[in-house]
Amino acid sequence: MKSPPLKGLWYFKTAAELGSFKQAAEALFVTQAAVSQQIRILEQQLGCMLFERQTRKVLLTQQGQDLLPYLHKAFGQIDMGLSTLKADPNPSTINLSVLPSFASCWLLPRLAQFNQALPDYQLRIDPTEQLADFNEDDIDIGIRFGLGDYKGLKSELIAEDELVIAYQPGLIDPTKPLRSQLSKHNFIYDEGRDNELAWFELCEQLGLSGHASSNLKIDNAALVLQATVAGQGFSLVRRRLVAQSLALGQLEIHPEFAWQCEYRYFLVAPERHFAWPKIKAFREWIIDELKSTDP
């Protein structure tokens, strides 16, 4: 059987919901005769009556009752599909939600590269520890450091990282035993899951006494890095975040320890955002930039 036209199905659905051809015509901004004609054509194609016509109203036949819920579901799916094609309201601005540590330590030092690669786009950065509410916040894409499980959103893995021992130049001599040197200095402790696991592993390898050497705990990787640069002690920091400080000679890292992070970097957004030209361009740029600075 040839599939009936969507117009006839839509007219039938409207009339069935309102229980009146007249009211359906008013809702559809057409004449009552047009509604009657479309439904009559539909009934002829289906080979059954969908309505029982009465003087002042119409009633669904059993076949009409059977068909209606399927149309509710079908047209609902069409509406959902069309909603994913909504145009980007700000095609020249990339509104980025990103962790403050990644923004200050990795992204900001690379803004010149961004501007050179994508001169037609303006980058607006929203540094926050919280995942954006894409229904309420004016955010296009997010960069998160986690496990990639963000309900109702698409997440794409873009990079991994590892924790390394960082310290002010001269604080630790890499040619001498590490254990005796670390026991003399304060450990700046980042209260993240990967950092805790890495610290216990380091303690086990070197025979250090747990957290006894730490009198400074900070739940912010950027502040941990800042305290380390200031010479407050040594820390376990992500290699990608420390790259700029290494290049500037502000820090050194010890060559004998590295801990692969369980958490990884993800691009996160509603799936339809990934189809926007500006997000495609940003995705390509940041992946290339991360690859060029892989550990």
Coordinates of all heavy atoms in Angstrom, one line a residue, residues 13-60:
K13 N -5.1 13.7 12.6 CA -4.7 13.8 14.0 C -5.4 15.0 14.7 O -5.9 14.9 15.8 CB -3.2 13.9 14.1 CG -2.6 14.2 15.5 CD -1.1 14.2 15.4 CE -0.5 14.7 16.7 NZ -0.9 16.1 17.1
T14 N -5.4 16.2 14.0 CA -5.9 17.4 14.6 C -7.4 17.2 14.8 O -8.0 17.6 15.8 CB -5.7 18.6 13.6 OG1 -4.2 18.7 13.4 CG2 -6.1 19.9 14.2
A15 N -8.1 16.7 13.8 CA -9.6 16.5 13.9 C -9.9 15.5 15.0 O -10.9 15.6 15.7 CB -10.2 16.1 12.6
A16 N -9.1 14.4 15.1 CA -9.4 13.4 16.1 C -9.2 14.0 17.5 O -9.9 13.7 18.4 CB -8.4 12.2 15.9
E17 N -8.2 14.8 17.7 CA -7.9 15.4 19.0 C -9.0 16.4 19.4 O -9.4 16.5 20.6 CB -6.5 16.1 19.0 CG -5.4 15.1 18.9 CD -4.0 15.8 18.7 OE1 -4.0 17.0 18.3 OE2 -3.0 15.2 19.0
L18 N -9.5 17.1 18.4 CA -10.5 18.2 18.7 C -12.0 17.6 18.6 O -12.9 18.3 19.1 CB -10.4 19.3 17.8 CG -9.0 20.1 17.9 CD1 -8.9 21.2 16.8 CD2 -8.9 20.8 19.3
G19 N -12.1 16.5 18.0 CA -13.5 15.9 17.8 C -14.4 16.7 16.9 O -15.6 16.6 17.0
S20 N -13.8 17.4 16.0 CA -14.6 18.3 15.2 C -13.8 18.7 13.9 O -12.7 19.1 14.0 CB -15.1 19.5 15.9 OG -15.6 20.5 15.0
F21 N -14.4 18.5 12.7 CA -13.8 19.0 11.5 C -13.7 20.6 11.5 O -12.8 21.1 11.0 CB -14.6 18.5 10.3 CG -14.4 17.1 10.0 CD1 -13.6 16.3 10.8 CD2 -15.0 16.5 8.9 CE1 -13.4 14.9 10.6 CE2 -14.8 15.2 8.6 CZ -14.0 14.4 9.4
K22 N -14.8 21.2 12.0 CA -14.8 22.6 12.1 C -13.7 23.2 12.9 O -13.0 24.1 12.5 CB -16.2 23.1 12.6 CG -16.3 24.6 12.6 CD -17.7 25.0 13.2 CE -17.8 26.5 13.3 NZ -19.1 27.0 13.8
Q23 N -13.6 22.7 14.1 CA -12.5 23.2 15.0 C -11.1 22.9 14.5 O -10.2 23.6 14.6 CB -12.7 22.6 16.4 CG -13.9 23.0 17.2 CD -14.0 22.4 18.5 OE1 -13.0 22.3 19.2 NE2 -15.2 22.1 19.0
A24 N -11.0 21.7 13.8 CA -9.7 21.4 13.2 C -9.4 22.4 12.1 O -8.2 22.8 11.9 CB -9.8 20.0 12.6
A25 N -10.4 22.8 11.3 CA -10.2 23.8 10.2 C -9.7 25.1 10.8 O -8.8 25.7 10.2 CB -11.5 23.9 9.4
E26 N -10.3 25.5 11.9 CA -9.9 26.7 12.6 C -8.5 26.7 13.1 O -7.7 27.6 13.0 CB -10.9 27.1 13.7 CG -12.3 27.4 13.2 CD -13.3 27.5 14.4 OE1 -12.9 27.2 15.5 OE2 -14.4 27.9 14.1
A27 N -8.1 25.5 13.7 CA -6.8 25.3 14.2 C -5.7 25.3 13.1 O -4.6 25.7 13.2 CB -6.7 24.0 15.0
L28 N -6.1 24.8 11.9 CA -5.2 24.6 10.8 C -5.2 25.8 9.8 O -4.4 25.8 8.9 CB -5.5 23.3 10.0 CG -5.3 22.0 10.8 CD1 -6.0 20.8 10.1 CD2 -3.8 21.7 11.0
F29 N -6.1 26.7 10.1 CA -6.3 27.9 9.2 C -6.6 27.5 7.8 O -6.1 28.0 6.8 CB -5.0 28.8 9.3 CG -4.7 29.3 10.6 CD1 -3.7 28.7 11.4 CD2 -5.4 30.4 11.1 CE1 -3.4 29.2 12.7 CE2 -5.1 30.9 12.4 CZ -4.1 30.3 13.2
V30 N -7.5 26.6 7.6 CA -8.0 26.1 6.3 C -9.6 26.1 6.5 O -10.1 26.3 7.5 CB -7.5 24.8 5.9 CG1 -5.9 24.9 5.7 CG2 -7.8 23.7 6.9
T31 N -10.2 25.7 5.3 CA -11.7 25.6 5.4 C -12.0 24.2 5.9 O -11.3 23.2 5.8 CB -12.3 25.8 4.0 OG1 -11.8 24.7 3.1 CG2 -11.8 27.1 3.4
Q32 N -13.3 24.1 6.4 CA -13.8 22.8 6.8 C -13.8 21.8 5.7 O -13.6 20.6 5.9 CB -15.2 23.0 7.5 CG -15.7 21.7 8.1 CD -17.0 22.0 8.8 OE1 -17.3 23.1 9.2 NE2 -17.8 20.9 9.1
A33 N -14.1 22.3 4.5 CA -14.2 21.4 3.3 C -12.8 20.8 3.0 O -12.7 19.7 2.6 CB -14.7 22.2 2.1
A34 N -11.8 21.6 3.2 CA -10.4 21.1 3.0 C -10.1 20.0 4.0 O -9.5 19.0 3.6 CB -9.4 22.3 3.1
V35 N -10.5 20.1 5.2 CA -10.3 19.1 6.2 C -11.0 17.8 5.8 O -10.5 16.7 5.8 CB -10.7 19.5 7.6 CG1 -10.6 18.4 8.6 CG2 -9.8 20.7 8.1
S36 N -12.3 18.0 5.5 CA -13.1 16.8 5.0 C -12.5 16.1 3.8 O -12.5 14.9 3.8 CB -14.5 17.3 4.7 OG -15.1 17.8 5.9
Q37 N -12.0 16.9 2.9 CA -11.5 16.3 1.7 C -10.2 15.5 2.0 O -10.0 14.4 1.5 CB -11.1 17.4 0.6 CG -10.6 16.8 -0.7 CD -10.2 18.0 -1.6 OE1 -9.9 19.1 -1.2 NE2 -10.2 17.6 -2.9
Q38 N -9.3 16.1 2.8 CA -8.0 15.4 3.1 C -8.3 14.1 3.9 O -7.7 13.0 3.6 CB -7.1 16.3 4.0 CG -6.5 17.4 3.2 CD -5.5 16.9 2.1 OE1 -4.8 15.9 2.3 NE2 -5.5 17.6 1.0
I39 N -9.3 14.1 4.8 CA -9.6 12.9 5.6 C -10.2 11.9 4.7 O -10.0 10.6 4.8 CB -10.4 13.3 6.8 CG1 -9.6 14.1 7.8 CG2 -10.9 12.0 7.5 CD1 -10.3 14.6 9.0
R40 N -11.1 12.3 3.7 CA -11.8 11.4 2.8 C -10.7 10.7 1.9 O -10.8 9.5 1.7 CB -12.8 12.1 2.0 CG -13.7 11.2 1.1 CD -14.7 12.0 0.3 NE -15.6 12.7 1.2 CZ -15.6 14.1 1.3 NH1 -14.7 14.8 0.6 NH2 -16.4 14.7 2.1
I41 N -9.8 11.5 1.5 CA -8.7 10.9 0.6 C -7.9 9.9 1.5 O -7.5 8.8 1.0 CB -7.8 12.0 0.1 CG1 -8.5 12.9 -0.9 CG2 -6.5 11.4 -0.6 CD1 -7.7 14.1 -1.3
L42 N -7.6 10.2 2.7 CA -6.9 9.3 3.6 C -7.6 8.0 3.8 O -7.1 6.9 3.8 CB -6.6 10.0 4.9 CG -5.8 9.2 6.0 CD1 -4.4 8.8 5.5 CD2 -5.7 10.0 7.3
E43 N -8.9 8.1 4.1 CA -9.8 6.9 4.3 C -9.8 6.0 3.0 O -9.7 4.8 3.1 CB -11.2 7.3 4.7 CG -11.3 7.9 6.1 CD -12.6 8.4 6.4 OE1 -13.3 8.9 5.5 OE2 -13.0 8.4 7.6
Q44 N -9.8 6.7 1.9 CA -9.8 5.9 0.6 C -8.5 5.1 0.5 O -8.5 4.0 0.0 CB -10.1 6.8 -0.6 CG -11.5 7.4 -0.6 CD -11.6 8.4 -1.7 OE1 -10.7 8.8 -2.4 NE2 -12.9 8.9 -1.9
Q45 N -7.4 5.8 0.8 CA -6.1 5.1 0.7 C -5.9 4.0 1.7 O -5.3 3.0 1.4 CB -5.0 6.2 0.9 CG -4.8 7.1 -0.3 CD -3.7 8.1 -0.1 OE1 -3.5 8.7 0.9 NE2 -2.8 8.2 -1.1
L46 N -6.5 4.2 2.9 CA -6.3 3.2 3.9 C -7.4 2.0 3.8 O -7.2 1.0 4.3 CB -6.4 3.8 5.3 CG -5.4 4.8 5.7 CD1 -5.6 5.4 7.0 CD2 -4.0 4.2 5.7
G47 N -8.4 2.3 3.0 CA -9.5 1.3 2.8 C -10.3 1.1 4.0 O -10.8 0.0 4.2
C48 N -10.5 2.1 4.9 CA -11.3 2.0 6.1 C -11.8 3.4 6.5 O -11.2 4.4 6.1 CB -10.6 1.3 7.2 SG -9.2 2.3 7.8
M49 N -12.9 3.4 7.3 CA -13.4 4.6 7.8 C -12.7 5.0 9.1 O -12.6 4.1 10.0 CB -14.9 4.5 8.0 CG -15.7 4.2 6.8 SD -15.6 5.6 5.5 CE -16.5 6.9 6.4
L50 N -12.3 6.2 9.2 CA -11.6 6.6 10.5 C -12.5 7.4 11.4 O -12.3 7.5 12.6 CB -10.4 7.5 10.1 CG -9.3 6.9 9.2 CD1 -8.3 7.9 8.8 CD2 -8.7 5.7 10.0
F51 N -13.6 8.0 10.8 CA -14.6 8.8 11.6 C -16.0 8.3 11.3 O -16.3 7.9 10.2 CB -14.5 10.3 11.3 CG -13.3 11.0 11.8 CD1 -12.2 11.3 10.9 CD2 -13.2 11.4 13.1 CE1 -11.1 11.9 11.4 CE2 -12.1 12.0 13.6 CZ -11.0 12.3 12.7
E52 N -16.8 8.4 12.3 CA -18.2 8.2 12.2 C -18.8 9.6 12.2 O -18.8 10.3 13.2 CB -18.8 7.4 13.3 CG -20.3 7.2 13.3 CD -20.9 6.5 14.5 OE1 -20.1 5.7 15.1 OE2 -22.1 6.7 14.8
R53 N -19.3 10.1 11.0 CA -19.8 11.4 10.9 C -21.2 11.5 11.5 O -22.1 10.8 11.2 CB -19.9 11.9 9.5 CG -18.6 12.4 8.8 CD -17.7 11.3 8.4 NE -16.6 11.8 7.5 CZ -15.6 11.0 7.2 NH1 -15.5 9.7 7.6 NH2 -14.6 11.5 6.4
Q54 N -21.4 12.5 12.5 CA -22.7 12.8 13.0 C -23.1 14.2 12.7 O -22.2 15.0 12.2 CB -22.7 12.5 14.5 CG -22.4 11.0 14.9 CD -22.5 10.7 16.4 OE1 -22.7 11.6 17.2 NE2 -22.5 9.4 16.7
T55 N -24.3 14.6 13.1 CA -24.8 16.0 12.7 C -23.9 17.1 13.2 O -23.5 18.0 12.5 CB -26.2 16.2 13.2 OG1 -27.0 15.1 12.7 CG2 -26.7 17.5 12.7
R56 N -23.5 17.1 14.5 CA -22.8 18.2 15.1 C -21.3 17.8 15.5 O -20.6 18.6 16.0 CB -23.5 18.7 16.3 CG -24.9 19.3 16.0 CD -25.5 19.9 17.2 NE -26.8 20.5 16.9 CZ -27.0 21.7 16.5 NH1 -25.9 22.5 16.3 NH2 -28.2 22.2 16.2
K57 N -21.0 16.5 15.3 CA -19.7 16.1 15.8 C -19.2 14.9 15.0 O -20.0 14.3 14.2 CB -19.7 15.8 17.3 CG -20.6 14.7 17.7 CD -20.5 14.5 19.2 CE -21.5 13.4 19.6 NZ -21.5 13.1 21.1
V58 N -18.0 14.5 15.2 CA -17.5 13.3 14.5 C -16.9 12.4 15.6 O -16.3 12.9 16.6 CB -16.4 13.6 13.5 CG1 -17.0 14.3 12.3 CG2 -15.3 14.4 14.0
L59 N -17.0 11.1 15.5 CA -16.5 10.2 16.5 C -15.5 9.2 15.8 O -15.7 8.9 14.6 CB -17.6 9.3 17.1 CG -18.7 10.1 17.9 CD1 -19.8 9.2 18.4 CD2 -18.0 10.9 19.1
L60 N -14.4 8.9 16.5 CA -13.5 8.0 15.9 C -14.0 6.6 15.8 O -14.7 6.1 16.8 CB -12.2 7.9 16.8 CG -11.2 9.1 16.7 CD1 -10.2 9.0 17.7 CD2 -10.6 9.2 15.3

